[in-house]
């Protein structure tokens, strides 16, 4: 924006590398900001091959080219320079720039300062860019460097040390490459120390989290797919219960996770990453972590009457679980082929589950617009369980919207990351053709629940009690275990249980690095869901 008159500032100091020698005038700066944005430093740097008057405050860095006076001496005809501004909240690193000779690892000729900024591009994508402030004065640059570092160190939630889990088996075995080529360089640039564990087997991250010194880290990062992220989230929350001295077999009121969790997408569907970032993009995910963007997120507990099964964000019983169970039986196939095969085969053998669903409707707080008070409303009777019995093709229980390419509105668009509710979505038995129409609706912006055989509820607790199968039906069901246990799809992980599963939502139980996708301009995504 064009510069305007400013309050007097100290004379710029420091020598720019290629400053012209003729008389020059400083372009006026913008009007003085509030007192909390008082200038800290002012000096001359060469930026984009132009000598610039640069001003640093606690909130922003701004500069304008230094313009020569008019040859006639009439300063009124001088063009007003365009002032450029960087908000310090968008800066994540600052480095002294030096020229070094081949083989030289330390020292070198000082060239100036480089500032690294997080840039928000189209389609929710973040990237990094560098701004070079050139000046050959050691004292001048060291003073600016110290002030810039002090400002960056004052931002809360930005991690300094991270525990990183990399699942090398995720999707096309890309996780290791994604981390070391795209993510690790950004962490190093931001001066974040990392301790990396490349997992060797299922449950490896869980065992490490139970034993490691979590207090040494500001956060935990998982590089992998939905199943890997679910394991790490479960491990973090289980560790929190152990440290709090709680009985991990029955957790009615769990304590919060001790540190935030970061998700670097390296799987097939990456539902949690899409829900947090609106896109599958490793650099975007890494920059959200570096910048310390944090969202508190609701978590569910999945329990039987005897034990806690899992902490998780979403689950499916019926079609979604049967598809996963069949895919797991064909792990010898390539990932994309395996999932396509399982989807088509399960659809061809479509069969309902006979079960009883019990749920507690959500308690809602509603503000009275006419009086200064809050009224409690209930979807149904307070603390009164409601029941549904029948044959169901699929039952979904989700505490987050679950965005993916198959569902641009989300698998559960009526819930949010942290509103303390779960979406219970029940698909009753219907014909295969009608069920396919329902599935196709997820890929569009149309209401996928606008069918007579689909029911949705907003709940805080759910109990799912399958009716045991016997005789030929049980023997012919390839998805049942030898013990007759039914498959569950919990965050992309397969679990099998024969007894009742009790699901509770626990508001804001974990902090995740990311943003609320409701605030993003769009939520276009590029994963390959079934």
């Amino acid at each position: 924006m064009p510069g305007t008159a400013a309050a007097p500032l100290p004379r710029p100091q420091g020598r720019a590398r290629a400053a012209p020698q003729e008389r020059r005038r400083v372009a006026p700066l913008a009007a003085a900001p509030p007192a909390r944005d008082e200038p800290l430093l002012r000096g001359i740097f060469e930026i984009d091959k132009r000598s610039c008057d640069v001003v640093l405050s606690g909130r922003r860095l701004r500069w304008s080219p230094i313009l020569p006076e008019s040859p006639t001496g009439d300063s009124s005809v001088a063009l007003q320079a365009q002032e450029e501004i960087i908000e310090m909240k968008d800066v994540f690193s600052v480095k002294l720039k030096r020229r070094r000779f081949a083989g030289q690892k330390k020292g070198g000729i000082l060239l100036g300062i480089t500032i690294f900024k997080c840039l928000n591009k189209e389609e929710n994508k973040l990237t990094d860019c560098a701004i070079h402030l050139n000046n050959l004065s050691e004292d001048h640059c060291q003073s600016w460097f110290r002030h810039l570092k002090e400002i960056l160190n004052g931002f809360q939630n930005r991690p300094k040390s991270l525990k990183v889990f990399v699942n090398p088996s995720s999707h096309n075995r890309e996780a290791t490459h994604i981390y070391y080529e795209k993510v690790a360089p950004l962490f190093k640039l931001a001066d974040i120390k990392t301790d990396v564990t490349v997992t060797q087997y299922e449950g490896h991250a869980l065992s490490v989290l139970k034993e490691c010194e979590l207090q040494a880290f500001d956060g935990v990062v998982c590089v992998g797919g939905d199943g890997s992220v679910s394991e790490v989230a479960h491990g973090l929350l289980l560790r929190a219960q152990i440290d709090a001295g709680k009985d991990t077999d029955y957790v009615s009121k769990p304590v919060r996770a001790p540190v935030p969790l970061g998700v670097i997408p390296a799987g097939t569907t990456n539902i949690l990453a899409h829900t947090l970032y609106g896109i599958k993009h490793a650099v975007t995910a890494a920059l959200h972590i570096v910048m310390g963007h944090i969202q508190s997120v609701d978590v569910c507990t999945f329990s039987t009457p005897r034990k806690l099964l899992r902490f998780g964000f979403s689950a499916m019983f019926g079609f979604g679980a049967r598809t996963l169970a069949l895919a797991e039986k064909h792990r010898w196939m390539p990932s994309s082929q395996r999932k396509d095969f399982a989807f088509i085969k399960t659809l061809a053998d479509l069969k309902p589950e006979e079960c009883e669903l019990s749920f507690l409707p959500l308690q809602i707080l509603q503000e009275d617009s006419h009086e200064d008070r809050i009224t409690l409303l209930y979807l149904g009777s307070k603390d009164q369980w409601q029941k549904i019995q029948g044959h169901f093709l699929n039952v979904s229980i989700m505490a987050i919207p679950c965005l993916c390419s198959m569902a641009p509105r989300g698998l559960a668009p009526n819930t949010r990351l942290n509103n303390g509710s779960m979406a219970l979505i029940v698909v009753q038995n219907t014909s295969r053709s009608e069920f396919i129409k329902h599935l196709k609706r997820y890929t569009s912006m149309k209401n996928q629940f606008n069918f007579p055989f689909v029911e949705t509820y907003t709940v805080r607790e759910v109990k799912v009690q399958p009716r045991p199968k016997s005789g030929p039906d049980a023997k012919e069901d390839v998805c049942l275990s030898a013990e007759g246990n039914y498959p569950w799809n919990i965050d992309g992980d397969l679990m099998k249980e024969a007894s009742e599963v009790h699901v509770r939502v626990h508001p804001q139980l974990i902090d995740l690095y990311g943003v609320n996708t409701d605030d993003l301009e769009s939520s276009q995504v590029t994963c390959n869901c079934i």
Side-chain angles (χ1 to χ4, degrees):
M1 62 182 179
T4 57
L9 293 174
R11 181 181 299 276
Q13 298 178 354
R15 177 168 58 89
R17 181 172 60 178
Q21 298 301 312
E22 76 269 21
R23 293 171 61 199
R24 61 189 72 228
R25 60 183 291 272
V26 177
L29 295 171
R36 60 188 176 132
D37 197 32
E38 285 295 324
L40 302 173
L41 289 175
R42 183 174 184 177
I44 296 175
F45 288 91
E46 180 186 275
I47 304 175
D48 292 334
K49 298 182 180 181
R50 296 183 300 175
S51 292
C52 295
D53 177 26
V54 185
V55 179
L56 173 68
S57 71
R59 293 175 56 188
R60 56 178 62 96
L61 180 75
R62 50 199 177 109
W63 67 88
S64 295
I66 300 174
L67 302 177
E69 292 187 355
S70 167
T72 63
D74 183 4
S75 61
S76 63
V77 301
L79 295 175
Q80 297 295 310
Q82 180 78 19
E83 183 184 64
E84 297 192 51
I85 296 175
I86 293 177
E87 297 291 337
M88 288 303 298
K89 65 180 178 60
D90 296 329
V91 175
F92 67 89
S93 182
V94 57
K95 302 289 183 183
L96 289 171
K97 183 170 67 169
R98 298 182 183 273
R99 178 186 292 124
R100 291 173 178 161
F101 298 104
Q104 185 179 4
K105 296 183 178 179
K106 294 184 178 180
I109 302 172
L110 180 68
L111 301 178
I113 296 171
T114 299
I115 293 173
F116 295 91
K117 171 190 174 185
C118 177
L119 184 65
N120 195 345
K121 298 183 74 175
E122 75 283 352
E123 297 181 358
N124 310 321
K125 189 177 293 185
L126 301 183
T127 188
D128 61 298
C129 65
I131 300 97
H132 302 284
L133 281 62
N134 298 315
N135 190 300
L136 301 181
S137 169
E138 184 85 29
D139 291 342
H140 186 62
C141 288
Q142 287 287 356
S143 175
W144 277 74
F145 178 76
R146 286 194 301 271
H147 277 82
L148 286 164
K149 290 289 286 185
E150 287 176 5
I151 293 171
L152 294 187
N153 290 335
F155 289 113
Q156 296 182 348
N157 299 328
R158 294 193 178 184
K160 302 297 182 186
S161 178
L162 293 170
K163 176 64 186 174
V164 180
F165 293 97
V166 179
N167 180 4
S169 300
S170 289
H171 193 35
N172 293 327
R173 304 185 181 276
E174 299 172 338
T176 305
H177 172 80
I178 287 173
Y179 177 71
Y180 286 107
E181 296 297 323
K182 298 181 179 181
V183 178
L186 286 172
F187 287 171
K188 183 178 180 180
L189 190 60
D191 298 319
I192 298 174
K193 297 179 181 179
T194 57
D195 181 81
V196 181
T197 296
V198 179
T199 57
Q200 304 298 318
Y201 53 87
E202 185 178 350
H204 189 181
L206 179 60
S207 62
V208 171
L209 284 168
K210 286 182 178 179
E211 303 295 335
C212 74
E213 299 292 332
L214 273 180
Q215 63 269 23
F217 304 105
D218 299 316
V220 173
V221 173
C222 178
V223 187
D226 291 326
S228 304
V229 174
S230 177
E231 179 183 329
V232 174
H234 173 67
L236 269 176
L237 286 162
L238 197 63
R239 172 64 183 272
Q241 314 317 308
I242 294 171
D243 290 347
K246 289 184 172 289
D247 181 3
T248 55
D249 285 336
Y250 180 76
V251 184
S252 60
K253 295 183 179 180
V255 298
R256 299 186 84 246
V259 293
L261 171 61
V263 179
I264 305 294
T268 305
T269 53
N270 303 290
I271 281 177
L272 195 57
H274 285 303
T275 304
L276 289 167
Y277 316 130
I279 192 172
K280 177 189 175 182
H281 190 240
V283 170
T284 295
L287 284 171
H288 279 298
I289 295 169
V290 167
M291 301 299 290
H293 299 158
I294 286 180
Q295 281 290 315
S296 294
V297 178
D298 300 339
V299 181
C300 301
T301 50
F302 299 88
S303 308
T304 68
R306 298 181 302 277
K307 63 177 181 177
L308 171 70
L309 297 175
R310 187 92 175 196
F311 288 97
F313 303 97
S314 65
M316 286 186 283
F317 177 78
F319 179 81
R322 285 178 170 275
T323 300
L324 178 62
L326 191 59
E328 290 297 310
K329 285 179 174 288
H330 295 78
R331 291 201 68 86
W332 52 271
M333 297 175 66
S335 176
S336 59
Q337 294 181 21
R338 178 173 72 243
K339 293 187 176 182
D340 288 346
F341 164 78
F343 177 82
I344 295 170
K345 177 66 173 173
T346 306
L347 194 58
D349 297 334
L350 189 65
K351 60 185 65 175
E353 307 284 7
E354 184 179 3
C355 63
E356 177 182 280
L357 304 176
S358 307
F359 60 90
L360 273 178
L362 176 70
Q363 172 182 320
I364 298 177
L365 294 177
Q366 177 174 304
E367 187 172 352
D368 194 320
S369 59
H370 300 289
E371 300 181 34
D372 186 16
R373 66 181 184 183
I374 293 178
T375 305
L376 292 179
L377 298 180
Y378 300 94
L379 301 180
S381 302
K382 179 181 178 181
D383 295 330
Q384 180 178 341
W385 287 86
Q386 299 186 16
K387 293 185 179 182
I388 310 173
Q389 293 182 344
H391 293 78
F392 308 111
L393 291 177
N394 192 71
V395 177
S396 298
I397 306 167
M398 299 180 172
I400 61 174
C402 295
L403 300 179
C404 68
S405 63
M406 184 189 74
R409 297 177 63 240
L411 297 176
N414 295 331
T415 191
R416 297 293 179 266
L417 284 174
N418 49 22
N419 66 351
S421 73
M422 296 183 295
L424 171 61
I425 304 164
V426 180
V427 182
Q428 298 185 26
N429 192 22
T430 188
S431 66
R432 183 181 291 106
S433 61
E434 286 298 299
F435 185 64
I436 291 174
K437 289 179 182 178
H438 162 64
L439 294 179
K440 285 184 175 181
R441 280 280 183 92
Y442 280 96
T443 64
S444 70
M445 298 305 292
K446 295 180 180 179
N447 184 356
Q448 62 262 43
F449 308 133
N450 190 22
F451 291 93
F453 53 87
V454 179
E455 299 176 4
T456 63
Y457 305 89
T458 302
V459 301
R460 49 197 172 114
E461 290 188 49
V462 180
K463 295 179 181 178
V464 180
Q465 176 64 67
R467 294 293 176 85
K469 292 185 178 182
S470 60
D473 289 341
K475 292 180 180 179
E476 294 175 2
D477 197 331
V478 297
C479 291
L480 294 183
S481 69
E483 297 79 18
N485 292 345
Y486 287 81
W488 278 80
N489 181 341
I490 301 180
D491 294 332
D493 265 1
L494 179 65
M495 301 191 72
K496 292 193 175 183
E497 284 296 328
S499 61
E500 173 188 285
V501 173
H502 187 179
V503 188
R504 296 184 181 93
V505 64
H506 304 277
Q508 303 183 27
L509 197 60
I510 193 170
D511 287 336
L512 299 180
Y513 289 107
V515 294
N516 192 328
T517 48
D518 290 341
D519 300 330
L520 297 175
E521 292 182 359
S522 65
S523 57
Q524 299 178 25
V525 288
T526 58
C527 71
N528 296 309
C529 298
I530 288 177

